[in-house]
Amino acid sequence: MNTRSPRQPATVLALTVAVLAVSSSGPLIAFAAAPALAVAFWRNAIATAVLTPVAAVARRAEIRGILFGPYRRAGLFCLLAGVTLAAHFATWMPSVQLGSVATATALVATQPVWQGLIAAAQGRRPGVHGWIGIGLAVAGAAWATGADIAVSGQAVLADVLALFGAIFAAVYTALGERARTTLSTTTYTWICYGTCAVILLPVCLIAGADLGGYDNGTWLAILAVVVGAQLLGHSMFNYALQRTSATTVSVLILLEVPGAALLAWLWLGQQPRPEALPGLALLLAGVAVVILMARPRAFLRSGRRRG
């Protein structure tokens, strides 16, 4: 039997749960009656608290190695990844509340495009198909953003923030790639999420973002983001990577875009703007080309996405 077949029931279930979990992130953030920066802080702070006992018990040797031994360099990459993750959340999450969930989710899905450009800067240049995909994605993003100019300046600001969120996500993944060569997922995510939360706390205080006083529905939405996108969604994708190709996983991650759009439409009444749909379709096509034409090892790295 092919152990990497996505048709195994457990793998199919894991992928289904993962797509649904990450698709819920944008609508939940838009629904939450709390500042986006505060939601980002609580998302990472709660996830860090959940991971702390696991890391303290199961990964003590790695943590000692970071503090006193051979893993100090990897620990530095974890800290840097946490900084860029904070920048990602501080840009993408406000974009969801300022604009359309569908557009913000699609624009942040351009992360593989920026990943390809980072690889090109490092001397690992994309092939012809990669550049074609990058061109399509950039054209689609420009189309979707241009369609928002007629809506409002706030909508354009949301688009720009979402694009920056994708860029920071790509840098975060590139740094995480360096850390993950020696550290386990648990140790890496624990340090990364903790660093992110530590950075976002003073940012929230300086920006005057209220960290409490929310209604029960908002707290439930924040907890749902933590359990869903932050812990469950990415864990299921990583589980599936052991049993199916990273190409399959990377393409399925794109289902977050229509999934989030559908949830936002049914739940929040955010009907996608018809004039932006061709641009979003072109953007997704470009990202799919970049992913499908990437090297197998690059698939594996891009499959471990943040959301």
Side-chain angles (χ1 to χ4, degrees), residues 32-59:
L37 287 174
V39 177
F41 163 73
W42 284 117
R43 171 177 181 165
N44 286 274
I46 296 172
T48 302
V50 171
L51 290 170
T52 295
V54 181
V57 173
R59 302 300 178 188

Side-chain angles (χ1 to χ4, degrees), residues 46-64 184-191 193 231 235:
I46 296 172
T48 302
V50 171
L51 290 170
T52 295
V54 181
V57 173
R59 302 300 178 188
R60 284 179 295 178
E62 283 188 344
I63 295 172
R64 283 197 299 268
S184 66
T185 301
T186 300
T187 301
Y188 166 66
T189 54
W190 177 64
I191 296 174
Y193 293 167
L231 295 174
S235 297

Side-chain angles (χ1 to χ4, degrees), residues 88 92 102-114 137 162-163 165-167 169 250 253-258 280 283-284 286-288 290-291 305-306:
H88 162 70
W92 178 65
T103 304
T105 306
L107 290 173
V108 85
T110 60
Q111 176 192 340
V113 171
W114 306 109
L163 281 173
I167 295 170
S250 297
I253 287 174
L254 292 180
L255 292 177
E256 174 188 359
V257 179
L280 297 182
L283 184 156
L284 292 178
V287 174
V290 170
I291 292 172
R305 221 186 115 208
R306 62 92 229 60

Side-chain angles (χ1 to χ4, degrees), residues 217-264:
T218 295
W219 281 117
L220 287 175
I222 293 172
L223 290 175
V225 170
V226 174
V227 175
Q230 194 79 0
L231 295 174
L232 185 59
H234 295 167
S235 297
M236 291 296 99
F237 277 131
N238 285 328
Y239 168 85
L241 275 172
Q242 298 176 340
R243 292 159 179 81
T244 188
S245 72
T247 307
T248 301
V249 172
S250 297
V251 174
L252 285 174
I253 287 174
L254 292 180
L255 292 177
E256 174 188 359
V257 179
L262 180 61
L263 285 174

Side-chain angles (χ1 to χ4, degrees), residues 190-223:
W190 177 64
I191 296 174
C192 186
Y193 293 167
T195 302
C196 182
V198 168
I199 291 173
L200 288 174
L201 178 57
V203 170
C204 288
L205 296 177
I206 293 172
D210 293 332
L211 294 174
Y214 314 140
D215 56 57
N216 291 336
T218 295
W219 281 117
L220 287 175
I222 293 172
L223 290 175

